[in-house]
Amino acid sequence: MNTSIRGRALTGTALALAAATVLTACGGESSSTATKSDGTASATPVVAVKEPLVATFDGGLYILDGESLKLAGTIDMPGFNRVNPAGDKDHVMVSTDSGFRVLNATGQALTDIEYKGAKPGHVVRHAAKTVLFTDGTGEVNVFDPTALSSGKKPAGRTYTSAEAHHGVAIELADGKLVSTLGTEEKRTGALVLDRNNKEIARNEDCPGVHGEAAAKNEAVGVGCEDGILIYQDGKFTKIDSPDDYGRIGNQAGSDASPVLLGDYKTDPEAELERPTRVSLIDTEKKKLRLVDLGTSYSFRSLARGPHGEALVLGTDGALHVIDPDTGRVAKKIPAVGAWQEPLDWQQARPTLFVRGHVAYVSEPGKRALHAIDIETGKKISSVTLPKSTNELSGVVAGH
């Protein structure tokens, strides 16, 4: 799944740093590695964790073993931080007030690799490349995530939008770059650049463009306030919503399915709309289907399963598994207690992160994190953490 996770401007103010926290490796062994005041770790090696998960909390990051869910390490980081897979087996991108930083999650330490810039936004993984979009500058950075293991900033492609805006970009397998168009006040659509950053196509029939996801056969969708814009095989196609205002702002795609999963909102005046319908966009038939789940959800509720299943974590506490071809809810897996989406988007709420056949679901109200087998619906393991978590991510190699 591409991250496509909402990347609004970072507004969190810095918090006072807690005392340096000793990192404890999994398996009961401890290391002397401690965080320093800048959030980095000392050079003392630590015991690596398996397929690490990274969760944010108010004032730092937790690193957990992906198999046991045991807390392996803590890194103090003030402010409001966001996390996304970097695209390899070891690293996670951390969005801070000053830019994107690279965390070696396996080694439990922040690296010196940083992409500075105000309001770091979306992180997209596709076709063996990772793409960063910095909202405050309009800068796009593209790199091969496997190069992060060198410890040095990877050489890569850069592009700067005509004007800074809350945007997103994705590089296709043939080197074309799809990037959004807009200003701080208004977002209108997307353009396509060739390998040399020369514009070769654009479409501005996508008001309020937000988010992206890629489906089977490299059909790329970007959400609009009145539908979704698809770029595939060198051309744009607009798929309209059934409502005049039918906003699709967050999407999840899968290489196993031509159907994109999106949210769906119809009230432009709402302080916070809590929709109960999701959208399924068939990129082959160019059709949009709405599915009413009977429960609301949040922008951190969408994901895809290993076979292309559409997954939605509802406020009823269940993980809704949807057949993307029929729109039928195949099953509802109990995951967490019932919850309500908070008004402030930066506030914690249950969050869904999927890797392979496992759905990881956080439960901030109980300071808990659960691992659930998507196939069987069985809870594999759970852990209670020292503090409530907010965002949840982990390492994901290959895309």
Side-chain angles (χ1 to χ4, degrees):
M1 162 189 164
N2 293 321
T3 57
S4 308
I5 296 177
R6 191 161 81 180
R8 289 187 180 176
L10 302 177
T11 58
T13 56
L15 303 175
L17 283 171
T21 305
V22 177
L23 300 182
T24 303
C26 62
E29 298 176 298
S30 63
S31 104
S32 59
T33 303
T35 53
K36 297 185 289 187
S37 60
D38 62 354
T40 59
S42 69
T44 308
V46 297
V47 177
V49 293
K50 297 178 181 178
E51 296 188 312
L53 301 172
V54 179
T56 67
F57 64 91
D58 191 359
L61 308 172
Y62 287 136
I63 301 175
L64 303 103
D65 186 280
E67 292 185 2
S68 67
L69 296 189
K70 288 181 180 178
L71 178 58
T74 301
I75 293 180
D76 294 325
M77 289 189 73
F80 177 75
N81 303 299
R82 314 200 71 192
V83 286
N84 287 286
D88 71 346
K89 63 182 179 61
D90 295 316
H91 298 88
V92 166
M93 301 301 302
V94 183
S95 303
T96 73
D97 285 329
S98 61
F100 294 101
R101 297 194 66 179
V102 177
L103 169 70
N104 183 337
T106 303
Q108 305 171 48
L110 283 163
T111 70
D112 294 329
I113 304 173
E114 185 173 10
Y115 293 84
K116 293 184 178 180
K119 302 176 184 177
H122 286 257
V123 178
V124 173
R125 300 169 294 109
H126 180 75
K129 293 292 175 61
T130 298
V131 183
L132 312 178
F133 196 104
T134 302
D135 294 349
T137 63
E139 184 175 83
V140 175
N141 284 279
V142 184
F143 60 88
D144 177 352
T146 61
L148 294 172
S149 60
S150 70
K152 298 179 180 179
K153 193 172 184 176
R157 175 183 189 173
T158 61
Y159 162 72
T160 302
S161 304
E163 294 194 56
H165 64 283
H166 176 45
V168 66
I170 178 173
E171 187 176 274
L172 306 182
D174 62 3
K176 292 187 179 73
L177 184 75
V178 181
S179 190
T180 52
L181 289 162
T183 66
E184 287 188 9
E185 291 77 32
K186 185 179 182 182
R187 303 191 301 275
T188 57
L191 54 71
V192 183
L193 307 173
D194 66 13
R195 289 179 178 271
N196 300 312
N197 286 356
K198 178 183 177 182
E199 182 178 329
I200 56 175
R202 75 162 52 200
N203 184 297
E204 296 192 60
D205 183 23
C206 186
V209 60
H210 185 273
E212 66 70 47
K216 186 178 181 180
N217 297 323
E218 212 169 35
V220 175
V222 291
C224 317
E225 291 178 350
D226 57 1
I228 192 166
L229 189 62
I230 305 296
Y231 181 77
Q232 186 179 28
D233 298 330
K235 65 179 182 180
F236 282 105
T237 303
K238 176 68 175 296
I239 302 176
D240 293 326
S241 295
D243 300 278
D244 290 338
Y245 181 91
R247 182 179 188 268
I248 300 172
N250 301 279
Q251 310 91 39
S254 168
D255 291 340
S257 171
V259 179
L260 296 173
L261 168 67
D263 56 3
Y264 193 75
K265 295 184 175 182
T266 57
D267 185 358
E269 306 301 324
E271 180 180 10
L272 173 67
E273 185 175 351
R274 295 186 172 98
T276 61
R277 293 183 295 175
V278 294
S279 55
L280 295 174
I281 305 99
D282 190 321
T283 62
E284 290 182 346
K285 298 177 181 178
K286 305 297 188 291
K287 291 185 177 180
L288 186 155
R289 177 203 307 264
L290 298 177
V291 177
D292 197 327
L293 299 176
T295 184
S296 62
Y297 55 92
S298 90
F299 71 96
R300 293 195 188 132
S301 292
L302 308 181
R304 302 302 290 266
H307 308 296
E309 308 97 317
L311 307 175
V312 183
L313 179 63
T315 55
D316 59 354
L319 182 62
H320 298 249
V321 182
I322 307 167
D323 182 332
D325 297 321
T326 65
R328 184 178 69 88
V329 178
K331 56 184 172 182
K332 300 178 184 179
I333 302 173
V336 296
W339 54 283
Q340 184 178 54
E341 182 179 7
L343 286 174
D344 182 353
W345 76 272
Q346 290 187 350
Q347 293 300 306
R349 79 287 310 280
T351 296
L352 173 65
F353 172 68
V354 173
R355 187 169 58 193
H357 292 256
V358 181
Y360 299 95
V361 183
S362 65
E363 192 167 12
K366 295 183 177 179
R367 308 196 321 274
L369 178 64
H370 312 286
I372 299 169
D373 187 305
I374 298 170
E375 307 286 345
T376 65
K378 303 290 185 181
K379 197 166 284 187
I380 303 168
S381 55
S382 295
V383 67
T384 300
L385 298 167
K387 294 184 179 181
S388 294
T389 61
N390 197 337
E391 294 218 343
L392 175 65
S393 190
V395 302
V396 178
H399 34 303

